[in-house]
Amino acid sequence: MQVDASETKRQAFFQTVKQLFENELPFNRILGIRVVSLGADTALIAFSNRDELMGNIFQKTLHGGVISAVLDTTGGVAAIASLADRFSELPEEKLLPIFGKIGTIDIRVDYLRPGRGKDFSVNAWVMRSGRKVAVIRMELRNESDVLVAVGTGTYMVG
Amino acid sequence: MQVDASETKRQAFFQTVKQLFENELPFNRILGIRVVSLGADTALIAFSNRDELMGNIFQKTLHGGVISAVLDTTGGVAAIASLADRFSELPEEKLLPIFGKIGTIDIRVDYLRPGRGKDFSVNAWVMRSGRKVAVIRMELRNESDVLVAVGTGTYMVG
Amino acid sequence: MQVDASETKRQAFFQTVKQLFENELPFNRILGIRVVSLGADTALIAFSNRDELMGNIFQKTLHGGVISAVLDTTGGVAAIASLADRFSELPEEKLLPIFGKIGTIDIRVDYLRPGRGKDFSVNAWVMRSGRKVAVIRMELRNESDVLVAVGTGTYMVG
Amino acid sequence: MQVDASETKRQAFFQTVKQLFENELPFNRILGIRVVSLGADTALIAFSNRDELMGNIFQKTLHGGVISAVLDTTGGVAAIASLADRFSELPEEKLLPIFGKIGTIDIRVDYLRPGRGKDFSVNAWVMRSGRKVAVIRMELRNESDVLVAVGTGTYMVG
């Protein structure tokens, strides 16, 4: 039986990203973000509704700020995913400072439908990945696959 | 001595908005938002840094999602402020359902500088107020008057 | 043999939209826009490169303003397409005033790659169609299927 | 009498920018753009209404694409203005390739009011100028000082 070294490294990279985004960023813990998967240029995160995340007491829906926060965060995870080929060989202590330089330059969020639901997922995919900036689109859906919000963000990546 | 009835009503309107945004929306309590003042077409809110609001463990700065949440919220308060003339005569129980129909259609946020600081303020002013939608600009500054982020939002108001 | 009345009406509606956007709007004639097809919630337009549309004399590429103009226009055509079910029974003289009320509230354009090419197409699809506003996404590609730019627009539709 | 060398250089820089934007970019000639002034971090352009620039045959107003084109262009001029300190010493033949690398990454345009009027002006000011990207805001007004549209753009500058 053969060990696939690159798959092992890819898994270690994923675990580093997951650990960072789920546990090290205080506000992400409030959001309850779980990093579900990373692709070459994609990211998938999930989170669940809680009373603390509600913004509208009349409609019992997600706060708009929660929606923009999870879209922004998933875009940031996808930005990191797009760097994996370049950086996945690095040990964790060298990865974290690189991640620390990644940042959102600007974001647009479209609130399409009320954020009703129990469990939510956000997909992000990189539309263009350059040496300096990446442009990424995000979509937030509830457990019934209703499209709640979409976003487009420009991220500094180098 | 004469009582200024319209000023009294304006104050009651302000207190209703303040109470709603500070106490009734769970996520706003996490953000620690304080509604400082309302003008005819403007709003000013304040909040203070706390560990829970941090997004970057390397730079100790506000989470981008916190920034977009407070910009979005201040825009929503300004959208309500722009309706005061129309609605400030109404008793609180009639105001709340009207506020519940106000919502963000879309928002753009520009993250200009790292969100460093102890105390932050967000100004919002209405650029256009129509029967159906309002367009509002927002600016987030820290206690040293550093411009941290700006935003533009389109809000449903009728 | 039976005549399909609704298909006939749909075709007349398409011809009205095509005539309006291609011939009646002076700036669209400068852009050389051709309305290729309308779906229930989609639109496809095409245009060809010409010297007048260039913005960068060093790279011989489309002017950014041309790109945003064709994205905005295709979004507007898709906004009209989404109204076809409601309005396709109306005669042309009643349609034009309705179209005249449709307008862009705001738009975001992401310039992903230089606008090189000979023939360009723009797809637009409605992400949410409400009674008052529609949110629409657009994508501009060249004849080699290179994604040059994407956009998201909010349109007043009622 | 003393010659102010830096003022002379600043004037030469302005004339280079003016010549480039007014005469060398074919689409700008269609728009009829005039570069009125450059500041350290600001730009002012002007243009006049013409039949070719109309988008709405019912309301005789500027085409949305014209509005986004002039906002985008004025932002680009302001991006160049913000580089003047770094580059104004260079001769024209070295400036043009630098200008050719400046480009819009993304832009948001808010169409606030119908583009009615005879003469229009667009102001742009740099909100943040970094080594790689600049964030710039723009405002379009008619001759009666009516605010027709505003925009925010992110530009690649290095």
Side-chain angles (χ1 to χ4, degrees), chain A residues 27 30-31 52-55 63-69, chain B residues 21-23 25-35 45-54 62-74 118-120 122 140:
Chain A
F27 191 66
I30 288 177
L31 297 171
E52 291 91 328
L53 304 184
M54 283 174 23
H63 192 287
V66 170
I67 291 173
S68 53
Chain B
F21 274 82
E22 292 185 359
N23 300 322
L25 307 182
F27 191 67
N28 282 2
R29 282 204 302 268
I30 289 177
L31 297 171
I33 283 172
R34 300 184 300 277
V35 178
I45 74 158
F47 68 103
S48 299
N49 210 342
R50 303 201 322 275
D51 283 356
E52 292 91 326
L53 304 184
M54 284 174 23
L62 289 179
H63 191 287
V66 170
I67 291 173
S68 54
V70 296
L71 289 176
D72 182 15
T73 296
T74 313
K118 193 172 164 297
D119 293 300
F120 297 93
V122 187
L140 166 64

Side-chain angles (χ1 to χ4, degrees), chain B residues 105-106 108 128 132-133 135 153-154 156 158, chain C residues 105-106 108 128 132-133 135 153-154 156 158:
Chain B
I105 299 173
D106 63 63
R108 174 189 173 106
R128 181 182 173 274
K132 297 170 198 159
V133 303
V135 179
T154 299
M156 183 71 68
Chain C
I105 299 173
D106 63 62
R108 175 190 172 105
R128 182 182 171 275
K132 296 170 200 160
V133 303
V135 179
T154 299
M156 184 70 68

Side-chain angles (χ1 to χ4, degrees), chain A residues 13-14 16-22 25 28 33-46 69-84 99 102-104 122-126 136 138 155 157, chain B residues 63:
Chain A
F13 183 83
F14 172 69
T16 301
V17 173
K18 187 177 174 68
Q19 157 72 9
L20 171 67
F21 275 83
E22 293 184 358
L25 307 183
N28 282 2
I33 282 173
R34 301 184 299 277
V35 178
V36 178
S37 65
L38 291 187
D41 281 312
T42 61
L44 173 61
I45 74 157
V70 295
L71 289 176
D72 182 14
T73 297
T74 313
V77 176
I80 286 180
S82 75
L83 302 177
F99 294 173
I102 290 174
T104 316
V122 187
N123 277 283
W125 64 100
V126 180
I136 297 173
M138 298 78 77
Y155 293 79
V157 294
Chain B
H63 191 287

Side-chain angles (χ1 to χ4, degrees), chain A residues 72-134:
Chain A
D72 182 14
T73 297
T74 313
V77 176
I80 286 180
S82 75
L83 302 177
D85 283 350
R86 263 196 259 167
F87 296 124
S88 62
E89 303 292 305
L90 298 178
E92 185 178 334
E93 67 271 19
K94 298 212 169 166
L95 280 178
L96 294 184
I98 290 170
F99 294 173
K101 285 177 193 161
I102 290 174
T104 316
I105 299 173
D106 64 62
I107 189 171
R108 175 189 172 106
V109 177
D110 292 272
Y111 302 90
L112 301 177
R113 295 176 187 87
R116 289 200 193 88
K118 193 172 164 298
D119 294 300
F120 298 93
S121 62
V122 187
N123 277 283
W125 64 100
V126 180
M127 309 205 72
R128 181 181 172 277
S129 180
R131 275 172 309 127
K132 296 170 199 159
V133 304

